[in-house]
Amino acid sequence: MILSLKARLLASALALGTLATQAQAQDAAAPAAPAAEAPVEAAPAVSPETVVAKVGGAEITQADLDAAAEDLSQQFAQLPPQQRRLATISALIDVKALATKAEAEGLQDEDTVARQIAFLRERALHNAYFDKHGAEAITEDELRARYDAEKERFVPQDEVHARHILVETKDEADKLIERLGAGEKFEDLAREASRDPSAQNGGDLGFFTKGRMVPAFEEAAFALEPGSYTQEPVETQFGWHVIQAVEKRQTQFPPFEQVREQARQVVLRDKYIEMLEAARQELDVEYVDPELKAQVEALEQGLNQGEMPEGANQGEAAPQPAQ
C-alpha cells in the first residue's frame, strides 16, 4: 500500500472514526423516546470531469479518482464508502506527489522504470480491450446458450441425505444402536455422543453423491432405505459409525438464475482464450531462448495429447485479465 505519513495518520483517524461510530451505535441501542426518522437521501452523482483536488496545479478529477479506486479497491474494501473515497484520494495525492519528484529527477528515463511504465501501459490496454470485447460484450443469449449446453450434458446421479454418529469403539456404537432400537432419537444421540463436527447438527451430513465419502461409509449409507439406520456399526479410518438415511433422490440441474454467474465466468474464459488465440495468430511469435522454446514445445505437445500441465487449474473459473 502506498501511503505517506499523512495518509497513515488519516487512516488512523478513519479507524478512530469507525470506533466512535460503533460506540454511538451501541449507545443508540439503549431504549429511547421514539423520534421521527429523517429521510436518507442518496448522494448525488458526481460528473467524471469534476475536479476534486489539485496537486501542484495538476487537477485530479472524479474520473481519476474512480480509476484509482478500482486499483485500490481491495486495500480499502473494509472502509465505509465515504471513508474509502477519502482514503483513495489521499493515496492518489501521495502517488502524484512522489511521481512529480521522480519525473523532476528524470527517473522515468531510467531503463528499469521505463520498462515498467511500458509494461503497465500495455497491461492497462490489455485489460481495456478484454473489458470492451469480452466482459462488456457478453449477451444474455450467450449465457443462456452456455447454460443449455451444460444442461444437455448433465447426467443425474443418485444422492442420499444421511446422518451419522461417530465414536471411537465398536462397543460404543453397539450401545447406541440398542438405544435407537429402544426409541431414542438419532439426532439426540448424535449431539450427545458423536465426536464428529456434525454432532451439533444432530449428525446431519446433508445430501451427497457416490464418490464423496470413504467407500465403507458410502456403501452402507446408499444401502439404507430412508428412515432406517445401520444395524451393525460401520468401521472407517475415522472410527465407528452409526448411519441413518433420511432421504434419497436424484441430483437436479440447477435453475439458470442460480448459476448465472458461473455461466458468465465460463463464457468469459472462452472469450478470453478465443481472443488471445486470434491476436497471437496475427503476430509472429518467436521464442528465441532455446530453453524457453523447449519448454513451450513440450507444453504444447502435452496439451495436444489432452494432458494438463502440473498445477494447472482444471476448474471452470475464467482467466482474469492481468491487474
Side-chain angles (χ1 to χ4, degrees), residues 1-3 7 10-15 17-18 21 52 60 62 64-94:
M1 184 185 302
I2 306 173
L3 289 176
L10 172 61
S12 299
L14 293 177
T18 301
T21 301
V52 296
I60 297 177
Q62 181 62 40
D64 296 328
L65 188 57
D66 291 340
E70 185 174 350
D71 189 65
L72 299 169
S73 59
Q74 292 186 349
Q75 297 180 20
F76 298 142
Q78 302 302 317
L79 293 175
Q82 286 298 327
Q83 295 180 3
R84 191 184 313 143
R85 187 167 187 263
L86 190 57
T88 301
I89 196 169
S90 179
L92 181 54
I93 290 171
D94 287 342

mmCIF file of all heavy atoms in Angstrom, residues 1-3 7 10-15 17-18 21 52 60 62 64-94:
data_model
loop_
_atom_site.group_PDB
_atom_site.id
_atom_site.type_symbol
_atom_site.label_atom_id
_atom_site.label_comp_id
_atom_site.label_asym_id
_atom_site.label_seq_id
_atom_site.Cartn_x
_atom_site.Cartn_y
_atom_site.Cartn_z
ATOM 1 N N MET A 1 0.854 -1.191 0.000
ATOM 2 C CA MET A 1 0.000 0.000 0.000
ATOM 3 C C MET A 1 0.888 1.238 0.000
ATOM 4 O O MET A 1 1.846 1.336 0.757
ATOM 5 C CB MET A 1 -0.888 -0.011 1.257
ATOM 6 C CG MET A 1 -1.884 1.139 1.308
ATOM 7 S SD MET A 1 -2.813 1.192 2.854
ATOM 8 C CE MET A 1 -3.554 -0.404 2.861
ATOM 9 N N ILE A 2 0.551 2.166 -0.863
ATOM 10 C CA ILE A 2 1.368 3.378 -0.970
ATOM 11 C C ILE A 2 0.723 4.462 -0.127
ATOM 12 O O ILE A 2 -0.256 5.072 -0.514
ATOM 13 C CB ILE A 2 1.468 3.837 -2.430
ATOM 14 C CG1 ILE A 2 1.963 2.663 -3.295
ATOM 15 C CG2 ILE A 2 2.363 5.037 -2.582
ATOM 16 C CD1 ILE A 2 1.932 2.951 -4.758
ATOM 17 N N LEU A 3 1.263 4.669 1.061
ATOM 18 C CA LEU A 3 0.694 5.665 1.961
ATOM 19 C C LEU A 3 1.804 6.468 2.615
ATOM 20 O O LEU A 3 2.785 5.916 3.096
ATOM 21 C CB LEU A 3 -0.143 4.994 3.060
ATOM 22 C CG LEU A 3 -1.490 4.374 2.630
ATOM 23 C CD1 LEU A 3 -2.123 3.688 3.814
ATOM 24 C CD2 LEU A 3 -2.421 5.440 2.093
ATOM 25 N N ALA A 7 -1.095 10.123 5.100
ATOM 26 C CA ALA A 7 -2.147 9.158 4.794
ATOM 27 C C ALA A 7 -2.320 8.164 5.928
ATOM 28 O O ALA A 7 -3.434 7.753 6.239
ATOM 29 C CB ALA A 7 -1.825 8.431 3.494
ATOM 30 N N LEU A 10 -4.214 9.778 8.462
ATOM 31 C CA LEU A 10 -5.600 9.820 8.019
ATOM 32 C C LEU A 10 -6.268 8.475 8.263
ATOM 33 O O LEU A 10 -7.391 8.405 8.738
ATOM 34 C CB LEU A 10 -5.661 10.170 6.531
ATOM 35 C CG LEU A 10 -7.043 10.077 5.866
ATOM 36 C CD1 LEU A 10 -8.010 11.034 6.535
ATOM 37 C CD2 LEU A 10 -6.940 10.376 4.389
ATOM 38 N N ALA A 11 -5.533 7.383 7.939
ATOM 39 C CA ALA A 11 -6.097 6.053 8.156
ATOM 40 C C ALA A 11 -6.399 5.823 9.635
ATOM 41 O O ALA A 11 -7.417 5.238 9.997
ATOM 42 C CB ALA A 11 -5.138 4.988 7.637
ATOM 43 N N SER A 12 -5.491 6.290 10.502
ATOM 44 C CA SER A 12 -5.733 6.167 11.942
ATOM 45 C C SER A 12 -6.970 6.943 12.351
ATOM 46 O O SER A 12 -7.777 6.486 13.157
ATOM 47 C CB SER A 12 -4.519 6.673 12.730
ATOM 48 O OG SER A 12 -3.376 5.910 12.428
ATOM 49 N N ALA A 13 -7.115 8.153 11.786
ATOM 50 C CA ALA A 13 -8.289 8.964 12.102
ATOM 51 C C ALA A 13 -9.564 8.273 11.644
ATOM 52 O O ALA A 13 -10.584 8.288 12.328
ATOM 53 C CB ALA A 13 -8.169 10.331 11.441
ATOM 54 N N LEU A 14 -9.486 7.640 10.473
ATOM 55 C CA LEU A 14 -10.653 6.915 9.971
ATOM 56 C C LEU A 14 -10.996 5.747 10.877
ATOM 57 O O LEU A 14 -12.154 5.463 11.131
ATOM 58 C CB LEU A 14 -10.373 6.413 8.548
ATOM 59 C CG LEU A 14 -10.235 7.489 7.467
ATOM 60 C CD1 LEU A 14 -9.885 6.852 6.130
ATOM 61 C CD2 LEU A 14 -11.513 8.298 7.337
ATOM 62 N N ALA A 15 -9.948 5.055 11.357
ATOM 63 C CA ALA A 15 -10.193 3.934 12.257
ATOM 64 C C ALA A 15 -10.842 4.411 13.545
ATOM 65 O O ALA A 15 -11.774 3.795 14.064
ATOM 66 C CB ALA A 15 -8.875 3.213 12.561
ATOM 67 N N GLY A 17 -12.589 7.070 13.835
ATOM 68 C CA GLY A 17 -13.948 7.468 13.488
ATOM 69 C C GLY A 17 -14.881 6.273 13.435
ATOM 70 O O GLY A 17 -16.032 6.335 13.852
ATOM 71 N N THR A 18 -14.362 5.138 12.934
ATOM 72 C CA THR A 18 -15.166 3.927 12.873
ATOM 73 C C THR A 18 -15.508 3.438 14.269
ATOM 74 O O THR A 18 -16.634 3.040 14.555
ATOM 75 C CB THR A 18 -14.410 2.830 12.112
ATOM 76 O OG1 THR A 18 -14.117 3.308 10.797
ATOM 77 C CG2 THR A 18 -15.238 1.557 12.013
ATOM 78 N N THR A 21 -18.112 5.602 15.730
ATOM 79 C CA THR A 21 -19.421 5.280 15.155
ATOM 80 C C THR A 21 -20.000 4.048 15.811
ATOM 81 O O THR A 21 -21.194 3.980 16.114
ATOM 82 C CB THR A 21 -19.284 5.056 13.638
ATOM 83 O OG1 THR A 21 -18.748 6.243 13.056
ATOM 84 C CG2 THR A 21 -20.622 4.736 13.005
ATOM 85 N N VAL A 52 -11.768 17.299 -8.154
ATOM 86 C CA VAL A 52 -11.944 17.025 -6.734
ATOM 87 C C VAL A 52 -10.750 17.486 -5.896
ATOM 88 O O VAL A 52 -10.858 17.646 -4.677
ATOM 89 C CB VAL A 52 -12.203 15.524 -6.490
ATOM 90 C CG1 VAL A 52 -13.512 15.093 -7.143
ATOM 91 C CG2 VAL A 52 -11.052 14.670 -7.009
ATOM 92 N N ILE A 60 -6.991 16.782 -10.221
ATOM 93 C CA ILE A 60 -7.445 15.401 -10.041
ATOM 94 C C ILE A 60 -8.958 15.413 -10.212
ATOM 95 O O ILE A 60 -9.664 16.086 -9.462
ATOM 96 C CB ILE A 60 -7.081 14.845 -8.657
ATOM 97 C CG1 ILE A 60 -5.556 14.798 -8.473
ATOM 98 C CG2 ILE A 60 -7.674 13.453 -8.462
ATOM 99 C CD1 ILE A 60 -5.131 14.324 -7.096
ATOM 100 N N GLN A 62 -12.845 13.458 -10.865
ATOM 101 C CA GLN A 62 -13.573 12.305 -10.349
ATOM 102 C C GLN A 62 -13.221 11.051 -11.134
ATOM 103 O O GLN A 62 -13.133 9.952 -10.569
ATOM 104 C CB GLN A 62 -15.086 12.560 -10.421
ATOM 105 C CG GLN A 62 -15.944 11.415 -9.891
ATOM 106 C CD GLN A 62 -15.704 11.144 -8.419
ATOM 107 O OE1 GLN A 62 -15.549 12.067 -7.619
ATOM 108 N NE2 GLN A 62 -15.659 9.864 -8.052
ATOM 109 N N ASP A 64 -10.299 10.398 -12.455
ATOM 110 C CA ASP A 64 -9.007 9.948 -11.921
ATOM 111 C C ASP A 64 -9.212 9.185 -10.620
ATOM 112 O O ASP A 64 -8.570 8.162 -10.374
ATOM 113 C CB ASP A 64 -8.089 11.156 -11.664
ATOM 114 C CG ASP A 64 -7.727 11.897 -12.934
ATOM 115 O OD1 ASP A 64 -7.630 11.251 -13.990
ATOM 116 O OD2 ASP A 64 -7.560 13.136 -12.861
ATOM 117 N N LEU A 65 -10.102 9.717 -9.797
ATOM 118 C CA LEU A 65 -10.379 9.095 -8.504
ATOM 119 C C LEU A 65 -11.020 7.720 -8.686
ATOM 120 O O LEU A 65 -10.665 6.760 -7.988
ATOM 121 C CB LEU A 65 -11.296 10.001 -7.678
ATOM 122 C CG LEU A 65 -11.536 9.610 -6.215
ATOM 123 C CD1 LEU A 65 -10.224 9.503 -5.466
ATOM 124 C CD2 LEU A 65 -12.452 10.632 -5.549
ATOM 125 N N ASP A 66 -11.931 7.620 -9.660
ATOM 126 C CA ASP A 66 -12.586 6.336 -9.921
ATOM 127 C C ASP A 66 -11.575 5.297 -10.391
ATOM 128 O O ASP A 66 -11.638 4.124 -9.990
ATOM 129 C CB ASP A 66 -13.685 6.507 -10.975
ATOM 130 C CG ASP A 66 -14.866 7.315 -10.455
ATOM 131 O OD1 ASP A 66 -15.016 7.413 -9.222
ATOM 132 O OD2 ASP A 66 -15.632 7.849 -11.280
ATOM 133 N N ALA A 67 -10.636 5.725 -11.245
ATOM 134 C CA ALA A 67 -9.613 4.797 -11.746
ATOM 135 C C ALA A 67 -8.726 4.299 -10.611
ATOM 136 O O ALA A 67 -8.399 3.106 -10.524
ATOM 137 C CB ALA A 67 -8.776 5.471 -12.827
ATOM 138 N N ALA A 68 -8.345 5.221 -9.721
ATOM 139 C CA ALA A 68 -7.508 4.838 -8.572
ATOM 140 C C ALA A 68 -8.287 3.941 -7.624
ATOM 141 O O ALA A 68 -7.742 2.989 -7.052
ATOM 142 C CB ALA A 68 -7.021 6.087 -7.848
ATOM 143 N N ALA A 69 -9.586 4.236 -7.442
ATOM 144 C CA ALA A 69 -10.420 3.453 -6.534
ATOM 145 C C ALA A 69 -10.506 2.007 -6.988
ATOM 146 O O ALA A 69 -10.489 1.078 -6.175
ATOM 147 C CB ALA A 69 -11.820 4.068 -6.442
ATOM 148 N N GLU A 70 -10.571 1.800 -8.301
ATOM 149 C CA GLU A 70 -10.632 0.439 -8.830
ATOM 150 C C GLU A 70 -9.335 -0.307 -8.540
ATOM 151 O O GLU A 70 -9.351 -1.479 -8.171
ATOM 152 C CB GLU A 70 -10.890 0.486 -10.336
ATOM 153 C CG GLU A 70 -11.080 -0.884 -10.958
ATOM 154 C CD GLU A 70 -11.481 -0.810 -12.420
ATOM 155 O OE1 GLU A 70 -11.795 0.303 -12.894
ATOM 156 O OE2 GLU A 70 -11.483 -1.866 -13.079
ATOM 157 N N ASP A 71 -8.218 0.371 -8.678
ATOM 158 C CA ASP A 71 -6.927 -0.262 -8.432
ATOM 159 C C ASP A 71 -6.694 -0.536 -6.948
ATOM 160 O O ASP A 71 -6.041 -1.502 -6.574
ATOM 161 C CB ASP A 71 -5.811 0.633 -8.982
ATOM 162 C CG ASP A 71 -4.459 -0.059 -8.959
ATOM 163 O OD1 ASP A 71 -4.302 -1.060 -9.685
ATOM 164 O OD2 ASP A 71 -3.575 0.387 -8.212
ATOM 165 N N LEU A 72 -7.246 0.331 -6.094
ATOM 166 C CA LEU A 72 -7.037 0.218 -4.648
ATOM 167 C C LEU A 72 -8.228 -0.417 -3.929
ATOM 168 O O LEU A 72 -8.288 -0.398 -2.704
ATOM 169 C CB LEU A 72 -6.788 1.607 -4.050
ATOM 170 C CG LEU A 72 -5.557 2.354 -4.573
ATOM 171 C CD1 LEU A 72 -5.582 3.808 -4.095
ATOM 172 C CD2 LEU A 72 -4.283 1.672 -4.120
ATOM 173 N N SER A 73 -9.151 -0.989 -4.692
ATOM 174 C CA SER A 73 -10.403 -1.478 -4.105
ATOM 175 C C SER A 73 -10.189 -2.509 -3.009
ATOM 176 O O SER A 73 -10.857 -2.470 -1.974
ATOM 177 C CB SER A 73 -11.298 -2.062 -5.204
ATOM 178 O OG SER A 73 -10.633 -3.132 -5.867
ATOM 179 N N GLN A 74 -9.252 -3.427 -3.209
ATOM 180 C CA GLN A 74 -9.035 -4.464 -2.205
ATOM 181 C C GLN A 74 -8.411 -3.892 -0.933
ATOM 182 O O GLN A 74 -8.726 -4.336 0.173
ATOM 183 C CB GLN A 74 -8.156 -5.574 -2.784
ATOM 184 C CG GLN A 74 -8.845 -6.383 -3.878
ATOM 185 C CD GLN A 74 -8.015 -7.564 -4.325
ATOM 186 O OE1 GLN A 74 -6.830 -7.679 -3.972
ATOM 187 N NE2 GLN A 74 -8.610 -8.455 -5.110
ATOM 188 N N GLN A 75 -7.529 -2.915 -1.085
ATOM 189 C CA GLN A 75 -6.858 -2.349 0.085
ATOM 190 C C GLN A 75 -7.838 -1.615 0.998
ATOM 191 O O GLN A 75 -7.688 -1.620 2.217
ATOM 192 C CB GLN A 75 -5.751 -1.398 -0.369
ATOM 193 C CG GLN A 75 -4.638 -2.080 -1.161
ATOM 194 C CD GLN A 75 -3.567 -1.107 -1.593
ATOM 195 O OE1 GLN A 75 -3.430 -0.032 -1.033
ATOM 196 N NE2 GLN A 75 -2.795 -1.468 -2.614
ATOM 197 N N PHE A 76 -8.831 -0.962 0.394
ATOM 198 C CA PHE A 76 -9.759 -0.149 1.181
ATOM 199 C C PHE A 76 -11.154 -0.756 1.249
ATOM 200 O O PHE A 76 -12.124 -0.071 1.590
ATOM 201 C CB PHE A 76 -9.851 1.266 0.579
ATOM 202 C CG PHE A 76 -8.554 2.021 0.588
ATOM 203 C CD1 PHE A 76 -8.196 2.843 -0.479
ATOM 204 C CD2 PHE A 76 -7.669 1.915 1.646
ATOM 205 C CE1 PHE A 76 -6.996 3.546 -0.475
ATOM 206 C CE2 PHE A 76 -6.465 2.604 1.669
ATOM 207 C CZ PHE A 76 -6.129 3.418 0.611
ATOM 208 N N ALA A 77 -11.271 -2.046 0.946
ATOM 209 C CA ALA A 77 -12.584 -2.689 0.856
ATOM 210 C C ALA A 77 -13.355 -2.656 2.175
ATOM 211 O O ALA A 77 -14.590 -2.625 2.180
ATOM 212 C CB ALA A 77 -12.429 -4.133 0.387
ATOM 213 N N GLN A 78 -12.641 -2.659 3.301
ATOM 214 C CA GLN A 78 -13.311 -2.731 4.600
ATOM 215 C C GLN A 78 -13.813 -1.377 5.087
ATOM 216 O O GLN A 78 -14.542 -1.305 6.082
ATOM 217 C CB GLN A 78 -12.357 -3.324 5.651
ATOM 218 C CG GLN A 78 -11.848 -4.713 5.293
ATOM 219 C CD GLN A 78 -12.973 -5.709 5.090
ATOM 220 O OE1 GLN A 78 -13.931 -5.745 5.850
ATOM 221 N NE2 GLN A 78 -12.867 -6.521 4.044
ATOM 222 N N LEU A 79 -13.442 -0.311 4.404
ATOM 223 C CA LEU A 79 -13.868 1.022 4.837
ATOM 224 C C LEU A 79 -15.257 1.353 4.309
ATOM 225 O O LEU A 79 -15.627 0.931 3.215
ATOM 226 C CB LEU A 79 -12.886 2.077 4.339
ATOM 227 C CG LEU A 79 -11.474 2.057 4.929
ATOM 228 C CD1 LEU A 79 -10.605 3.094 4.230
ATOM 229 C CD2 LEU A 79 -11.516 2.323 6.420
ATOM 230 N N PRO A 80 -16.038 2.128 5.064
ATOM 231 C CA PRO A 80 -17.324 2.616 4.553
ATOM 232 C C PRO A 80 -17.087 3.492 3.325
ATOM 233 O O PRO A 80 -15.992 4.049 3.149
ATOM 234 C CB PRO A 80 -17.885 3.440 5.725
ATOM 235 C CG PRO A 80 -17.175 2.928 6.930
ATOM 236 C CD PRO A 80 -15.803 2.534 6.459
ATOM 237 N N PRO A 81 -18.092 3.629 2.435
ATOM 238 C CA PRO A 81 -17.904 4.343 1.161
ATOM 239 C C PRO A 81 -17.263 5.728 1.283
ATOM 240 O O PRO A 81 -16.316 6.031 0.548
ATOM 241 C CB PRO A 81 -19.334 4.447 0.620
ATOM 242 C CG PRO A 81 -20.018 3.229 1.173
ATOM 243 C CD PRO A 81 -19.432 3.040 2.534
ATOM 244 N N GLN A 82 -17.750 6.589 2.203
ATOM 245 C CA GLN A 82 -17.198 7.938 2.305
ATOM 246 C C GLN A 82 -15.748 7.910 2.772
ATOM 247 O O GLN A 82 -14.898 8.656 2.277
ATOM 248 C CB GLN A 82 -18.051 8.792 3.251
ATOM 249 C CG GLN A 82 -19.385 9.215 2.661
ATOM 250 C CD GLN A 82 -19.209 10.080 1.409
ATOM 251 O OE1 GLN A 82 -18.264 10.844 1.288
ATOM 252 N NE2 GLN A 82 -20.135 9.949 0.462
ATOM 253 N N GLN A 83 -15.440 7.040 3.729
ATOM 254 C CA GLN A 83 -14.069 6.927 4.210
ATOM 255 C C GLN A 83 -13.174 6.320 3.133
ATOM 256 O O GLN A 83 -12.000 6.689 2.993
ATOM 257 C CB GLN A 83 -14.028 6.076 5.478
ATOM 258 C CG GLN A 83 -14.767 6.712 6.655
ATOM 259 C CD GLN A 83 -14.711 5.848 7.894
ATOM 260 O OE1 GLN A 83 -14.082 4.800 7.908
ATOM 261 N NE2 GLN A 83 -15.382 6.288 8.942
ATOM 262 N N ARG A 84 -13.717 5.398 2.355
ATOM 263 C CA ARG A 84 -12.963 4.783 1.276
ATOM 264 C C ARG A 84 -12.576 5.839 0.239
ATOM 265 O O ARG A 84 -11.462 5.852 -0.267
ATOM 266 C CB ARG A 84 -13.810 3.687 0.630
ATOM 267 C CG ARG A 84 -13.045 2.787 -0.346
ATOM 268 C CD ARG A 84 -13.992 1.801 -0.996
ATOM 269 N NE ARG A 84 -14.845 1.161 -0.017
ATOM 270 C CZ ARG A 84 -16.122 0.858 -0.226
ATOM 271 N NH1 ARG A 84 -16.695 1.162 -1.379
ATOM 272 N NH2 ARG A 84 -16.833 0.263 0.707
ATOM 273 N N ARG A 85 -13.504 6.734 -0.059
ATOM 274 C CA ARG A 85 -13.240 7.791 -1.042
ATOM 275 C C ARG A 85 -12.125 8.712 -0.531
ATOM 276 O O ARG A 85 -11.222 9.105 -1.276
ATOM 277 C CB ARG A 85 -14.513 8.590 -1.294
ATOM 278 C CG ARG A 85 -14.414 9.620 -2.424
ATOM 279 C CD ARG A 85 -15.807 10.121 -2.791
ATOM 280 N NE ARG A 85 -15.772 10.974 -3.977
ATOM 281 C CZ ARG A 85 -15.737 12.294 -3.948
ATOM 282 N NH1 ARG A 85 -15.734 12.930 -2.787
ATOM 283 N NH2 ARG A 85 -15.706 12.976 -5.075
ATOM 284 N N LEU A 86 -12.186 9.044 0.756
ATOM 285 C CA LEU A 86 -11.186 9.931 1.344
ATOM 286 C C LEU A 86 -9.814 9.264 1.362
ATOM 287 O O LEU A 86 -8.791 9.883 1.048
ATOM 288 C CB LEU A 86 -11.616 10.313 2.766
ATOM 289 C CG LEU A 86 -10.829 11.417 3.459
ATOM 290 C CD1 LEU A 86 -10.849 12.693 2.642
ATOM 291 C CD2 LEU A 86 -11.406 11.662 4.855
ATOM 292 N N ALA A 87 -9.771 7.972 1.723
ATOM 293 C CA ALA A 87 -8.504 7.249 1.757
ATOM 294 C C ALA A 87 -7.925 7.105 0.351
ATOM 295 O O ALA A 87 -6.705 7.199 0.148
ATOM 296 C CB ALA A 87 -8.717 5.876 2.385
ATOM 297 N N THR A 88 -8.798 6.891 -0.629
ATOM 298 C CA THR A 88 -8.343 6.732 -2.009
ATOM 299 C C THR A 88 -7.710 8.009 -2.535
ATOM 300 O O THR A 88 -6.643 7.988 -3.153
ATOM 301 C CB THR A 88 -9.512 6.310 -2.922
ATOM 302 O OG1 THR A 88 -10.053 5.075 -2.450
ATOM 303 C CG2 THR A 88 -9.042 6.148 -4.358
ATOM 304 N N ILE A 89 -8.357 9.154 -2.298
ATOM 305 C CA ILE A 89 -7.801 10.411 -2.810
ATOM 306 C C ILE A 89 -6.508 10.762 -2.084
ATOM 307 O O ILE A 89 -5.580 11.321 -2.673
ATOM 308 C CB ILE A 89 -8.820 11.563 -2.712
ATOM 309 C CG1 ILE A 89 -8.354 12.724 -3.600
ATOM 310 C CG2 ILE A 89 -9.022 12.035 -1.284
ATOM 311 C CD1 ILE A 89 -9.394 13.799 -3.797
ATOM 312 N N SER A 90 -6.410 10.393 -0.814
ATOM 313 C CA SER A 90 -5.170 10.632 -0.084
ATOM 314 C C SER A 90 -4.027 9.818 -0.693
ATOM 315 O O SER A 90 -2.917 10.318 -0.899
ATOM 316 C CB SER A 90 -5.353 10.268 1.388
ATOM 317 O OG SER A 90 -4.149 10.471 2.099
ATOM 318 N N ALA A 91 -4.320 8.535 -1.006
ATOM 319 C CA ALA A 91 -3.300 7.687 -1.629
ATOM 320 C C ALA A 91 -2.933 8.202 -3.017
ATOM 321 O O ALA A 91 -1.761 8.199 -3.415
ATOM 322 C CB ALA A 91 -3.811 6.245 -1.711
ATOM 323 N N LEU A 92 -3.931 8.674 -3.773
ATOM 324 C CA LEU A 92 -3.682 9.204 -5.114
ATOM 325 C C LEU A 92 -2.801 10.448 -5.055
ATOM 326 O O LEU A 92 -1.887 10.624 -5.877
ATOM 327 C CB LEU A 92 -5.016 9.532 -5.793
ATOM 328 C CG LEU A 92 -4.968 10.083 -7.222
ATOM 329 C CD1 LEU A 92 -4.174 9.164 -8.129
ATOM 330 C CD2 LEU A 92 -6.369 10.301 -7.754
ATOM 331 N N ILE A 93 -3.044 11.314 -4.082
ATOM 332 C CA ILE A 93 -2.213 12.509 -3.912
ATOM 333 C C ILE A 93 -0.781 12.116 -3.577
ATOM 334 O O ILE A 93 0.185 12.706 -4.091
ATOM 335 C CB ILE A 93 -2.810 13.426 -2.826
ATOM 336 C CG1 ILE A 93 -4.122 14.047 -3.337
ATOM 337 C CG2 ILE A 93 -1.823 14.511 -2.418
ATOM 338 C CD1 ILE A 93 -4.902 14.793 -2.276
ATOM 339 N N ASP A 94 -0.631 11.114 -2.711
ATOM 340 C CA ASP A 94 0.705 10.633 -2.364
ATOM 341 C C ASP A 94 1.454 10.148 -3.599
ATOM 342 O O ASP A 94 2.637 10.440 -3.811
ATOM 343 C CB ASP A 94 0.611 9.495 -1.346
ATOM 344 C CG ASP A 94 0.228 9.985 0.035
ATOM 345 O OD1 ASP A 94 0.362 11.193 0.282
ATOM 346 O OD2 ASP A 94 -0.202 9.159 0.863
#
